[in-house]
Amino acid sequence: MNLRWDEFIVTGDPLILGAQISIVLVSIALVFGLTYFKKWGWLWRDWITSVDHKKIGIMYIIAALLMLFRGGVDALLMRIQLAAPEMEFLSAQHYNEIFTTHGTIMIIFMAMPFLIGLMNVVVPLQIGARDVAFPFLNNLSFWTFFVGAMLFNISFVVGGSPSAGWTSYVPMAGNELSPGPGQNYYLLGLQISGIGTLLTGINFIVTILKMRTKGMTLFRMPMFTWTTLITSLIITFAFPVLTVSLALMTFDRLFGTHFFTLADGGMPMLWANLFWIWGHPEVYIVILPAFGIFSEIITTFARKTLFGYKAMVGSVVIISCLSFLVWVHHFYTMGSGAAVNSFFSITTMMISIPTGVKIFNWLFTMYKGRISFKQPMLWSIAFIPNFVIGGVTGVMLAMAAADYQYHNTYFLVSHFHYVLIAGTVFACFAGLVFWYPKMFGHKLNEKIGQWAFWLFMIGFNVCFFPQYFLGLDGMPRRTFSYLPEEGWFSLNFISTVGAFVMGLGFLIFVYNVYYSFRHSARETSGDCWGSGRTLEWATSSAIPPFYNFAVLPEVRTIDPYWHMKEDGQESQKEEDYKPIHMPSNTGLGFIMSVFLGISGFGLVFEWYWIGLVGVILTFACMIYRSFQQDDGYYVPVEKIKETERHASV
Amino acid sequence: MEYQSETGRLNILGFWIFIGAEFALFSTLFAAYFVLINRTAGYITPGELFDLKLVLIMTFLLLTSSFTCGMAVHEMRNHNVKRMMIWLAITLLLGLGFVGYEIYEFVHYASEGATLSTSAYWSAFFVLLGTHGLHVSIGIIWIIGIMIQIKKRGLTPKTSSKVFVSSLYWHFLDVVWIFIFTGVYLLGMVS
Ligand code: HEM
Ligand SMILES: [Cu+2]
């Protein structure tokens, strides 16, 4: 690709210019700050090279929150453009770019990493393990995700963003209609971060199957661990499909193959099928862990065991199997024929049965419980009615015949935001607040947190409920402008107001992080909500030591920590301490990911030699790693004693 | 032997799951291949190019290499390092032969006018076979690395689990090839 300099950097749009200036300023401030406070070594030693699952989890969550901010700004820009008829805030092309990056970032770089972050923090603790099965791989997973996300994110200032929607249907995403680097960013950014996701999946399967502490049988595992296990299985079988699909489209764009082209035998529908064979399971990758989080929180704050534990596990398994059998419901209208459509229509509706089972189980869990309405519980309770609205409209969409009416209208936009936000985003907030003291040693302020909750929750409904009616009025999705005669103004305006209320809620949430860091009381006990049931609350301190448990706990029941407390045996004796084996930190995962990122950047601009050099260097790192002899080290008993004493003051 | 150490056991299970993922990867490529199988868009067809003799040689090389690889693991379990190394070396030579023939085949097809960009069918063909060939090549480099490590450090629980894992990988590539042989070549020659 021959680009002139002024095409390389995107110019000519005041919004983007503003973004460029702020990126430069923030970067300078960061470099300056780190140097001034002499924090480079700390950053490298304690975070970048860390193989501690809790730190990796925290890094995932921070990155996901940044992405939520970026995706949220995109959303607000779109809502401003749609607030009134014939707005001239964004151009059509810019609007297309923004909804594409918004959708992609929210799903791939926000929702999934947020949940993976929580899994990282919590799952090894819940199963009583010292770390995940492959700590180095875990570090590598994080950095490939991060580099992939950054590669995707720079597209709007360097070279131009993709604009074919997050589904990237061909021919829209082909060379003729999407020339230039934008679509390449999509392909390579997702590809690189996809590697990390796949590795995470494998890592957690092995961790959960092999690293459970004594007595933790499969049917004593907490729900969040269960959903993580199932999600990891879905990841392992769904992500290779994405890898291949992205690679095939990359080949089409860069090397002139004809998989999805209109000419020379290519088949655009093949993309739609491949994309959704991955894409629908992906939707469950972001919803099942959320279900797990709600289960943990509801049992903890209702002070009761989960109602119908086995039914909960069973329904997760059924949902995950069905999730591979419904993909066509995303394109009924593309002419698959009545029989095919009916089959997929029925499988889709079947998913609502196990989901319904779960909803009732949560309700029964709360029934007659002594519920305490703290922030995590508020998010979890709010999830139920909102998610049901999304689910019911989903069943309406699942009917192939009806879908001809609603498809590609705002009805659909509203439906998937109801499921994704009330399901996933509420769960992310709930889980973050819930486990926040575990991660940082203090709670988030309750009062500010409730403000954030109510604003976000109400704003969300004000924003998306009117969109069902806009959809029924025929407003198509992905429209950037409309005429006054169409009568869509008032509902759109309300919707935009709601979006800003949500944005305000998010800002208050962020403020709460700062406020609580300064003013919240530090936690001294591990069981900071007072009603913890699972093993993560049994670790000796508010910030668990890097080896998690001084002595690995033994489990005899479901909700082991609850029973330990009842039997009064939660404390560990110093005599039982033994040296602990831990893996050592390594910078290799970071370095490898940077090489991959360089390679991806080269390929985006079709500078093949950069692409090749990056790949070769990545492989060199792998070989180096294979030769490395590093068996970790032992933490001596003295050190454990000291850490534990220090932790429990 | 390879299951002796804790990390060895974890690695082996992890690798089985990784093979599950690879299985999904190749299934997707096969699916794309079969969807596009008749889409030669009026250009050259596979029936005009495929040559049974060449393919049989390649199949023979790879299947034998799977056998010699199995022998290597067998000798490893008997703690016979030297014989194991010899079997591994033979495996590598057979693998190299396979890759060599594949390169020859691709160059030959290209000279007859069938390349990546000729038609959808050939795109699918080259990407499917290329992916497999790339896997074999990576396997060769990987096993060379393991052999060097064994030369330097001897047969430890750690190196032996590496040998075992790489042999799993090698057998897996063999299985994939059997699918390619029947699904791509035999079917292509019949039609
Ligand atoms: C924070 C509040 C949010 C607002 C105000 C918002 C708003 C929007 C708007 C206006 C569109 C474009 C609709 C169109 O023109 O077709 C859109 C699309 C989309 N949004 Fe959101 N959104 C929000 C949060 C989220 C979240 C949290 C997710 C996912 C976890 C998400 C996923 C998507 C997806 C997948 C699309 C489709 C993109 C495409 O058509 O390619 N959104 N959103
Ligand atoms: Cu779906």
Side-chain angles (χ1 to χ4, degrees):
Chain A
M1 196 180 294
N2 277 318
L3 281 175
R4 294 200 323 269
W5 248 125
D6 55 339
E7 286 171 336
F8 183 66
I9 301 287
V10 181
T11 51
D13 187 305
L15 279 174
I16 294 182
L17 185 66
Q20 283 161 336
I21 294 173
S22 43
I23 289 177
V24 172
L25 288 181
V26 169
S27 312
I28 293 175
L30 269 179
V31 171
F32 181 79
L34 285 168
T35 315
Y36 183 81
F37 293 106
K38 299 205 173 57
K39 288 283 186 197
W40 286 106
W42 164 80
L43 193 66
W44 177 258
R45 268 192 315 276
D46 282 7
W47 292 93
I48 294 178
T49 62
S50 175
V51 292
D52 181 348
H53 66 95
K54 301 176 288 299
K55 288 195 169 164
I56 292 175
I58 291 173
M59 291 196 287
Y60 263 115
I61 293 172
I62 293 173
L65 282 169
L66 285 176
M67 290 295 103
L68 180 60
F69 181 75
R70 152 91 212 254
V73 171
D74 281 349
L76 293 183
L77 295 178
M78 284 189 286
R79 281 315 320 169
I80 295 174
Q81 167 65 23
L82 293 172
E86 297 181 312
M87 279 285 261
E88 285 176 17
F89 180 63
L90 300 174
S91 68
Q93 171 63 17
H94 199 174
Y95 187 86
N96 289 351
E97 293 179 3
I98 289 186
F99 76 63
T100 303
T101 47
H102 164 77
T104 315
I105 286 181
M106 283 297 196
I107 293 196
I108 312 272
F109 301 126
M110 189 286 286
M112 201 169 45
F114 207 129
L115 294 165
I116 291 180
L118 290 171
M119 290 176 193
N120 259 298
V121 173
V122 178
V123 168
L125 291 169
Q126 280 196 333
I127 60 173
R130 294 247 143 84
D131 204 333
V132 293
F134 309 114
F136 164 70
L137 218 57
N138 204 13
N139 176 289
L140 177 66
S141 297
F142 171 73
W143 286 113
T144 45
F145 145 68
F146 190 77
V147 164
M150 287 304 118
L151 185 65
F152 186 83
N153 266 278
I154 56 169
S155 66
F156 79 114
V157 284
V158 183
S161 295
S163 59
W166 88 284
T167 50
S168 282
Y169 285 137
V170 266
M172 267 310 293
N175 268 332
E176 290 79 27
L177 294 178
S178 293
Q183 186 60 26
N184 298 350
Y185 270 118
Y186 173 96
L187 295 168
L188 289 148
L190 263 64
Q191 188 70 281
I192 292 175
S193 74
I195 299 172
T197 312
L198 177 62
L199 295 180
T200 303
I202 296 176
N203 209 341
F204 275 92
I205 297 177
V206 180
T207 306
I208 296 175
L209 290 182
K210 285 277 167 181
M211 311 268 289
R212 277 168 291 137
T213 188
K214 212 160 148 200
M216 175 70 80
T217 58
L218 282 179
F219 281 97
R220 286 181 195 158
M221 291 194 320
M223 269 320 283
F224 185 51
T225 303
W226 257 113
T227 52
T228 301
L229 176 64
I230 303 291
T231 306
S232 305
L233 282 164
I234 304 183
I235 288 178
T236 312
F237 289 103
F239 265 75
V241 181
L242 177 70
T243 306
V244 171
S245 324
L246 292 172
L248 298 187
M249 191 188 270
T250 312
F251 271 65
D252 269 8
R253 292 181 56 89
L254 300 188
F255 307 124
T257 55
H258 295 290
F259 289 101
F260 311 124
T261 56
L262 289 168
D264 291 322
M267 205 169 159
M269 274 311 287
L270 179 62
W271 169 264
N273 277 285
L274 288 179
F275 181 86
W276 284 113
I277 289 176
W278 161 79
H280 192 84
E282 166 68 17
V283 177
Y284 288 84
I285 293 172
V286 299
I287 200 69
L288 293 182
F291 287 172
I293 294 171
F294 291 130
S295 301
E296 300 297 338
I297 293 175
I298 289 174
T299 50
T300 305
F301 288 87
R303 296 163 175 271
K304 280 177 63 191
T305 25
L306 191 63
F307 183 87
Y309 171 83
K310 290 217 167 134
M312 287 301 230
V313 174
S315 55
V316 174
V317 175
I318 294 172
I319 292 175
S320 70
C321 297
L322 284 176
S323 76
F324 281 94
L325 296 177
V326 300
W327 75 89
V328 171
H329 67 205
H330 294 273
F331 46 90
Y332 286 141
T333 51
M334 290 191 196
S336 324
V340 175
N341 277 358
S342 309
F343 171 80
F344 285 96
S345 184
I346 291 167
T347 50
T348 304
M349 287 187 219
M350 268 156 59
I351 288 201
S352 58
I353 300 169
T355 315
V357 170
K358 301 190 78 76
I359 304 264
F360 281 108
N361 283 346
W362 285 314
L363 293 176
F364 285 130
T365 307
M366 284 190 276
Y367 179 68
K368 283 192 173 166
R370 283 174 291 139
I371 301 179
S372 99
F373 294 94
K374 293 277 169 47
Q375 298 166 71
M377 191 61 172
L378 287 179
W379 289 107
S380 310
I381 295 178
F383 146 78
I384 294 177
N386 286 314
F387 187 80
V388 168
I389 296 177
V392 170
T393 49
V395 176
M396 290 166 71
L397 287 165
M399 289 178 268
D403 191 46
Y404 277 83
Q405 182 64 33
Y406 317 127
H407 189 73
N408 281 342
T409 67
Y410 260 74
F411 193 88
L412 172 84
V413 175
S414 186
H415 152 68
F416 68 63
H417 282 94
Y418 259 90
V419 238
L420 282 167
I421 296 182
T424 306
V425 178
F426 281 19
C428 291
F429 284 139
L432 179 58
V433 181
F434 185 49
W435 286 302
Y436 200 86
K438 263 294 128 184
M439 296 186 242
F440 299 105
H442 58 268
K443 281 188 189 155
L444 287 174
N445 180 284
E446 188 62 35
K447 206 160 146 206
I448 306 179
Q450 299 213 356
W451 269 99
F453 163 76
W454 285 107
L455 283 172
F456 197 91
M457 209 273 290
I458 294 171
F460 160 67
N461 277 290
V462 174
C463 177
F464 290 103
F465 206 72
Q467 292 184 5
Y468 284 122
F469 298 101
L470 280 173
L472 295 175
D473 279 352
M475 178 163 161
R477 77 188 281 204
R478 299 177 183 172
T479 2
F480 93 105
S481 184
Y482 53 94
L483 298 170
E485 304 86 275
E486 280 162 316
W488 297 330
F489 167 58
S490 44
L491 288 175
N492 265 309
F493 188 79
I494 297 173
S495 176
T496 302
V497 172
F500 274 88
V501 176
M502 278 170 96
L504 186 63
F506 179 74
L507 288 183
I508 291 182
F509 192 92
V510 174
Y511 170 73
N512 199 6
V513 170
Y514 167 78
Y515 179 88
S516 311
F517 171 68
R518 295 294 299 271
H519 302 293
S520 272
R522 305 295 111 165
E523 288 297 333
T524 51
S525 99
D527 183 20
C528 27
W529 299 101
S531 50
R533 312 183 71 85
T534 38
L535 287 180
E536 74 266 34
W537 307 108
T539 48
S540 61
S541 70
I543 310 168
F546 59 96
Y547 49 75
N548 291 353
F549 300 91
V551 179
L552 289 182
E554 216 183 304
V555 176
R556 284 191 215 91
T557 52
I558 261 179
D559 290 340
Y561 185 58
W562 183 263
H563 292 280
M564 281 182 202
K565 279 188 292 188
E566 281 188 337
D567 305 344
Q569 27 159 261
E570 71 261 48
S571 59
Q572 300 155 340
K573 291 183 227 60
E574 286 198 349
E575 305 87 83
D576 294 343
Y577 291 176
K578 288 196 194 70
I580 296 173
H581 182 245
M582 292 304 290
S584 22
N585 286 3
T586 160
L588 205 61
F590 176 74
I591 295 168
M592 238 165 111
S593 308
V594 169
F595 286 150
L596 265 183
I598 292 173
S599 170
F601 189 76
L603 287 179
V604 165
F605 290 95
E606 298 177 34
W607 297 329
Y608 294 114
W609 61 274
I610 298 189
L612 194 66
V613 170
V615 170
I616 291 175
L617 288 173
T618 311
F619 271 105
C621 288
M622 278 162 80
I623 295 173
Y624 174 79
R625 171 73 191 172
S626 167
F627 275 79
Q628 217 177 23
Q629 261 183 322
D630 181 2
D631 296 323
Y633 61 98
Y634 277 91
V635 188
V637 173
E638 276 314 306
K639 178 94 189 293
I640 303 174
K641 280 187 188 159
E642 194 194 308
T643 315
E644 293 296 315
R645 278 192 209 122
H646 185 73
S648 51
V649 275
Chain B
M1 169 111 213
E2 64 274 9
Y3 286 97
Q4 255 170 22
S5 70
E6 173 72 27
T7 35
R9 281 195 297 274
L10 291 179
N11 285 346
I12 292 169
L13 177 65
F15 200 78
W16 272 111
I17 298 169
F18 175 73
I19 286 185
E22 287 271 61
F23 190 79
L25 184 128
F26 277 104
S27 307
T28 315
L29 284 171
F30 271 108
Y33 178 84
F34 283 116
V35 166
L36 301 173
I37 196 162
N38 287 320
R39 300 191 156 236
T40 46
Y43 300 107
I44 197 161
T45 62
E48 296 169 48
L49 277 187
F50 286 170
D51 168 8
L52 188 63
K53 212 175 88 215
L54 187 78
V55 181
L56 281 177
I57 297 177
M58 284 164 73
T59 309
F60 173 75
L61 287 175
L62 206 62
L63 289 191
T64 325
S65 81
S66 212
F67 171 72
T68 55
C69 183
M71 287 307 288
V73 173
H74 178 74
E75 293 297 348
M76 174 184 89
R77 294 198 175 132
N78 290 338
H79 296 272
N80 200 329
V81 180
K82 202 158 156 215
R83 285 219 198 134
M84 178 191 85
M85 294 293 257
I86 293 174
W87 283 117
L88 282 181
I90 298 175
T91 309
L92 288 185
L93 285 179
L94 292 168
L96 273 176
F98 172 84
V99 174
Y101 269 106
E102 183 149 73
I103 293 173
Y104 165 79
E105 187 198 7
F106 283 8
V107 172
H108 173 67
Y109 288 177
S111 71
E112 301 275 327
T115 63
L116 263 183
S117 51
T118 306
S119 65
Y121 172 80
W122 288 107
S123 302
F125 173 86
F126 281 110
V127 170
L128 173 60
L129 269 87
T131 310
H132 178 264
L134 187 70
H135 274 74
V136 176
S137 315
I138 290 174
I140 292 175
I141 299 174
W142 184 18
I143 295 180
I144 293 177
I146 295 176
M147 287 172 73
I148 297 175
Q149 288 174 30
I150 291 177
K151 263 243 126 33
K152 283 203 324 220
R153 296 171 201 159
L155 205 57
T156 61
K158 222 172 159 184
T159 45
S160 63
S161 86
K162 286 187 182 182
V163 174
F164 182 71
V165 162
S166 63
S167 81
L168 282 182
Y169 180 77
W170 198 262
H171 295 315
F172 169 73
L173 294 179
D174 210 20
V175 173
V176 174
W177 178 259
I178 293 172
F179 281 107
I180 293 182
F181 177 69
T182 44
V184 175
Y185 286 106
L186 291 187
L187 220 65
M189 270 178 281
V190 175
S191 56

